[in-house]
Amino acid sequence: MILVGGGVIAVQAIGSAPDKPTTATSATGGGQPLDPEDQAWKIAQAQVDALLGDNEQAWLDLIDPSQPQYREQYRTLFRTLRAMRINHAEALAVPPPGEVGGTDFYVGFSYCFQGSPCPTAFNQPKMVKRVTLTTAGGRQVISVVDFNPTTIYNVKGAPWADDQLVITEGKRVVVAASASRAADIPQVIALADQAAVDIDRFGNHLRTAQDRYRIFLADDHDWATWFNGDQPEWAIGYAWEVAGTGMDVVLHASQVLDGTEDAQIVIRHEMGHVLTMIGAQPPDNPLEFLFNDRNQWLREGIAEYIGQNGRPAQQTYHRSTLQRAFRSSNPPRSIMASSVRAGSERNSVDGLYAMGYAATSCMAARYGEAAMFHFTDLVLREAAKEDAASRKIYGKPFAQVDRDCLTWIRQHL
């Protein structure tokens, strides 16, 4: 259960999402189309108008009626983007490199989803398909489609671009899966809707409470491809943020639902990452995150605290892991457990989660849950150093908090 943050194509430029769907303009500014071929541009603009206007028939009318397979792909895409609550889009049409003057184009749009700050057009995530235009019924339509072209325009592995996606909305969540795991969607909706209610109190501490969460249920193939698919072998879920779309939860279905994991805890944990990391400021030194993730203990610890719905760590299965650690020949010397990554041993992974969880339990018990979440917010979302955050919130240096909580954890085992 890990968090991976940051945009894939879009960078973290921040803008203001419009309150209502807007009429699209050129991503290059000045109202000039990206593509000199007017028909490709008109089709891209018509796609935007249909999407923002919730007009599925107008969207499908842009596809060659003699190509039913492409119409079904585009129907699925339309319904997925509407369920994701697309609320801003800007038309994009450009010929592939070296193919100016032909009938093939990258046609699509940049976009944003409701509930997330919308960057400028250049930094918005983008979705294009490589298409061939032809004339049918006296008008230009899309006749041949490469639905997932290899191009820098697209967010790599975005689940919502999957043309086989089945998507269903609950009261507080939208859950999507490929057909192979679609039968599991009702179960996940029930668990996630309950989780959303359970964790509202934590979101209120952070002022990041979410009206709605998005969860993608991955089969083994999806797990290896969605958002690049580059996850440690011990991971079973993660949260991922792309500027302009918000933060999504991805669950490895076979691990979360078919194994021995408590799916309710896992879902709360990953939704907890959304609360504690959405919109986080990047660290001053990005290499620190890549090679020395010093806050991983807190990020996973607070997510597990949320996953366990605030139960003290010593009342959960993490107790045995902590007991073994403190009784070993090399007991913990800090609540800041060493970070783990791909290739880390299972004992190290379990130890990080258990110690981080116990540390947040200690801080909640000693200083109050609201103060603990405020400290967490400063460190994780505002990129404050732990000592500065500790002095501000707890009124004492973090080194003292560290020593006191290490003693507290040992005493409560």
Side-chain angles (χ1 to χ4, degrees):
M1 292 175 281
I2 64 172
L3 170 85
V4 183
V8 180
I9 296 297
V11 299
Q12 296 292 330
I14 301 300
S16 297
D19 294 330
K20 297 179 180 180
T22 60
T23 300
T25 58
S26 168
T28 60
Q32 297 300 314
L34 296 173
D35 179 16
E37 300 294 334
D38 188 53
Q39 290 298 336
W41 176 255
K42 286 182 178 180
I43 286 178
Q45 184 63 61
Q47 286 185 329
V48 165
D49 293 341
L51 263 179
L52 299 182
D54 194 17
N55 190 336
E56 183 177 303
Q57 189 56 53
W59 169 270
L60 295 176
D61 286 344
L62 300 170
I63 314 302
D64 187 345
S66 69
Q67 303 289 346
Q69 72 276 23
Y70 297 140
R71 290 174 67 89
E72 284 308 307
Q73 286 181 307
Y74 270 94
R75 188 193 310 275
T76 297
L77 180 60
F78 180 91
R79 293 177 179 179
T80 297
L81 292 174
R82 291 300 306 177
M84 297 288 286
R85 297 188 181 178
I86 187 171
N87 73 336
H88 181 87
E90 304 196 23
L92 174 61
V94 59
E99 299 184 36
V100 176
T103 58
D104 281 11
F105 301 91
Y106 290 133
V107 171
F109 39 84
S110 62
Y111 58 95
C112 294
F113 294 149
Q114 180 179 319
S116 179
C118 193
T120 58
F122 179 80
N123 291 320
Q124 291 167 18
K126 297 168 179 63
M127 181 182 297
V128 299
K129 312 300 180 187
R130 180 171 175 141
V131 307
T132 300
L133 303 183
T134 191
T135 301
R139 57 190 178 86
Q140 287 283 295
V141 293
I142 293 170
S143 65
V144 178
V145 182
D146 179 354
F147 212 73
N148 294 296
T150 301
T151 167
I152 61 172
Y153 290 111
N154 288 332
V155 176
K156 189 172 182 180
W160 53 85
D162 191 328
D163 63 318
Q164 301 297 318
L165 212 59
V166 178
I167 191 164
T168 306
E169 295 190 67
K171 295 178 181 178
R172 295 282 303 278
V173 297
V174 56
V175 178
S178 294
S180 64
R181 302 299 309 207
D184 298 309
I185 289 178
Q187 176 189 359
V188 175
I189 285 179
L191 294 172
D193 271 338
Q194 181 58 54
V197 174
D198 293 341
I199 70 177
D200 275 344
R201 69 184 179 99
F202 305 126
N204 290 334
H205 287 315
L206 297 164
R207 301 185 303 281
T208 59
Q210 303 290 300
D211 293 332
R212 199 176 72 139
Y213 298 83
R214 301 195 302 256
I215 298 176
F216 292 93
L217 194 60
D219 61 20
D220 292 345
H221 175 266
D222 298 330
W223 183 254
T225 55
W226 283 349
F227 292 133
N228 297 318
D230 186 20
Q231 304 304 326
E233 63 279 3
W234 42 262
I236 61 175
Y238 61 90
W240 186 283
E241 185 170 19
V242 176
T245 69
M247 185 170 277
D248 299 289
V249 169
V250 179
L251 303 175
H252 194 177
S254 62
Q255 299 296 312
V256 176
L257 300 178
D258 302 342
T260 60
E261 299 288 342
D262 185 324
Q264 185 72 84
I265 292 174
V266 174
I267 290 171
R268 277 198 301 252
H269 177 109
E270 298 304 337
M271 290 166 64
H273 279 313
V274 176
L275 293 182
T276 56
M277 290 301 299
I278 191 167
Q281 295 181 22
D284 293 335
N285 179 8
L287 293 179
E288 181 178 284
F289 182 87
L290 291 175
F291 300 110
N292 182 25
D293 187 4
R294 61 181 290 117
N295 293 328
Q296 191 181 32
W297 68 275
L298 182 59
R299 189 170 63 249
E300 296 302 340
I302 192 62
E304 190 63 5
Y305 182 95
I306 293 170
Q308 297 284 350
N309 212 13
R311 281 195 303 164
Q314 63 270 20
Q315 295 180 12
T316 71
Y317 53 78
H318 291 288
R319 183 182 184 185
S320 60
T321 299
L322 292 166
Q323 287 175 331
R324 285 194 301 272
F326 278 95
R327 293 170 182 171
S328 72
S329 59
N330 185 28
R333 293 178 173 82
S334 171
I335 61 175
M336 297 177 66
S338 297
S339 62
V340 296
R341 53 181 58 89
S344 293
E345 295 182 357
R346 187 72 228 187
N347 286 343
S348 298
V349 176
D350 291 345
L352 172 97
Y353 278 72
M355 181 57 75
Y357 176 27
T360 56
S361 293
C362 167
M363 290 186 285
R366 292 179 65 86
Y367 308 111
E369 188 176 78
M372 181 271 288
F373 271 96
H374 193 182
F375 168 84
T376 299
D377 195 46
L378 288 178
V379 175
L380 296 185
R381 296 184 65 248
E382 299 187 25
K385 298 299 184 183
E386 62 273 359
D387 189 64
S390 180
R391 291 175 186 272
K392 180 176 181 178
I393 304 303
Y394 301 146
K396 58 185 65 178
F398 183 74
Q400 183 177 342
V401 173
D402 192 358
R403 290 192 300 270
D404 292 347
C405 275
L406 206 60
T407 300
W408 184 92
I409 294 168
R410 186 183 294 109
Q411 291 174 342
H412 285 78
L413 293 179

